[in-house]
Amino acid sequence: MDYSLVMSIWGKLAGAAAGLAVGGPLGALMGALAGHFAVDKQLTHGIKDEKVLFTIGVIALGAKMAKADGRVTKDEIVAFREVFQVPPEEQENVARIFNLAKQDIAGYEAYAKQIAEHFHDRRTLLENVLEGLFHIAAADGVLHPDEEAYLERVGSIFGFASDEFRRIRARFVSDGTSDPYEVLGVSPEIDDEALKSHYRRLVRENHPDLAMAEGLPQEFIQIATAKLAAINEAYETIMRSRGG
């Protein structure tokens, strides 16, 4: 892992907490962390660094995701730490953000809308956010109905249709309902050549290296790797069933 990149992100978060002007509901969260509310009404004009905006947003949504079923489990906290591999000297700052945001689920839609507005033209990045939330939600081995409703609402705010939401869900939730065709986003009627072409395109589009090219924090490489593994497994399952 490139800890110089991680350090730069958490250092900027600490700077924001110390009084950097930030906007919108995520700015209000940072203002609360710093003991004041430095809120600009323009949602995307306060936080100048996109990685900081992205990171604050996912911390906030992740905290509310963990609380959506009424309790935060040890597994969910571990999953959160897997997504955000925070240097020891910054763990206290991140824990403060997490604890402020997880007090209840009220307000999560405002956080999601701010992220969706700022990254509206970067659909892959929004999908990465939703995938990170699925990773946290499924960490305790159970996707609670309230967690699923939370995720579906966030997905809707991000602009994902119901079939796209099911495809993302299938890659991260192993509850016996996942269909390998759904994981790949194809119909069972697809022929072998078309399937192979589609699979190769998915591998290119979802390679972990692209998460870095999108400007995501290094921490999300682990999520991208899990997604690619699910894609590979689904393809292999289908080919085995076809005698390939």
Side-chain angles (χ1 to χ4, degrees):
M1 171 172 292
D2 182 356
Y3 277 99
S4 63
L5 175 59
V6 177
M7 289 285 286
S8 70
I9 293 170
W10 301 119
K12 289 175 182 177
L13 281 177
L20 179 67
V22 293
L26 294 173
L29 177 62
M30 293 304 295
L33 179 63
H36 62 83
F37 287 82
V39 182
D40 185 332
K41 292 183 180 179
Q42 296 298 317
L43 290 182
T44 60
H45 285 70
I47 303 173
K48 300 301 184 183
D49 189 292
E50 287 192 339
K51 291 181 181 178
V52 174
L53 175 63
F54 177 87
T55 302
I56 295 171
V58 180
I59 291 172
L61 288 176
K64 290 184 178 296
M65 174 72 259
K67 187 66 173 177
D69 62 355
R71 63 193 182 95
V72 179
T73 68
K74 182 178 179 180
D75 289 332
E76 288 168 335
I77 293 172
V78 170
F80 179 86
R81 290 174 178 168
E82 287 175 354
V83 175
F84 292 100
Q85 298 182 30
V86 186
E89 63 272 21
E90 294 297 342
Q91 287 181 0
E92 187 175 351
N93 283 331
V94 176
R96 286 173 180 164
I97 301 173
F98 187 88
N99 288 332
L100 280 169
K102 77 175 175 63
Q103 291 173 4
D104 56 50
I105 64 168
Y108 78 89
E109 291 180 328
Y111 295 153
K113 287 175 182 176
Q114 184 171 0
I115 294 173
E117 180 174 332
H118 191 85
F119 297 110
H120 68 277
D121 59 343
R122 298 172 70 180
R123 195 168 181 80
T124 299
L125 189 147
L126 292 175
E127 187 169 321
N128 290 144
V129 175
L130 194 56
E131 289 164 352
L133 296 176
F134 263 108
H135 178 71
I136 295 169
D140 57 2
V142 178
L143 184 64
H144 190 278
D146 288 342
E147 291 175 325
E148 183 154 12
Y150 173 101
L151 288 164
E152 193 163 11
R153 177 58 183 148
V154 171
S156 176
I157 291 171
F158 285 176
F160 293 108
S162 58
D163 60 330
E164 294 174 303
F165 176 82
R166 289 195 302 271
R167 170 178 54 79
I168 296 170
R169 181 190 188 279
R171 291 176 181 174
F172 287 88
V173 180
S174 300
D175 58 0
T177 65
S178 295
D179 180 336
Y181 290 97
E182 193 166 63
V183 171
L184 299 182
V186 296
S187 166
E189 283 71 41
I190 190 171
D191 64 48
D192 287 353
E193 282 303 312
L195 176 63
K196 182 183 295 185
S197 176
H198 179 79
Y199 164 71
R200 288 175 175 171
R201 180 174 62 79
L202 286 180
V203 170
R204 289 195 304 270
E205 291 177 351
N206 293 283
H207 195 280
D209 286 350
L210 290 183
M212 296 182 66
E214 277 287 315
L216 295 183
Q218 181 78 16
E219 301 93 317
F220 268 74
I221 300 305
Q222 187 170 359
I223 302 298
T225 300
K227 177 170 66 172
L228 185 59
I231 291 170
N232 288 334
E233 182 179 356
Y235 178 72
E236 290 167 5
T237 297
I238 292 171
M239 294 309 294
R240 282 196 303 270
S241 71
R242 295 184 174 194

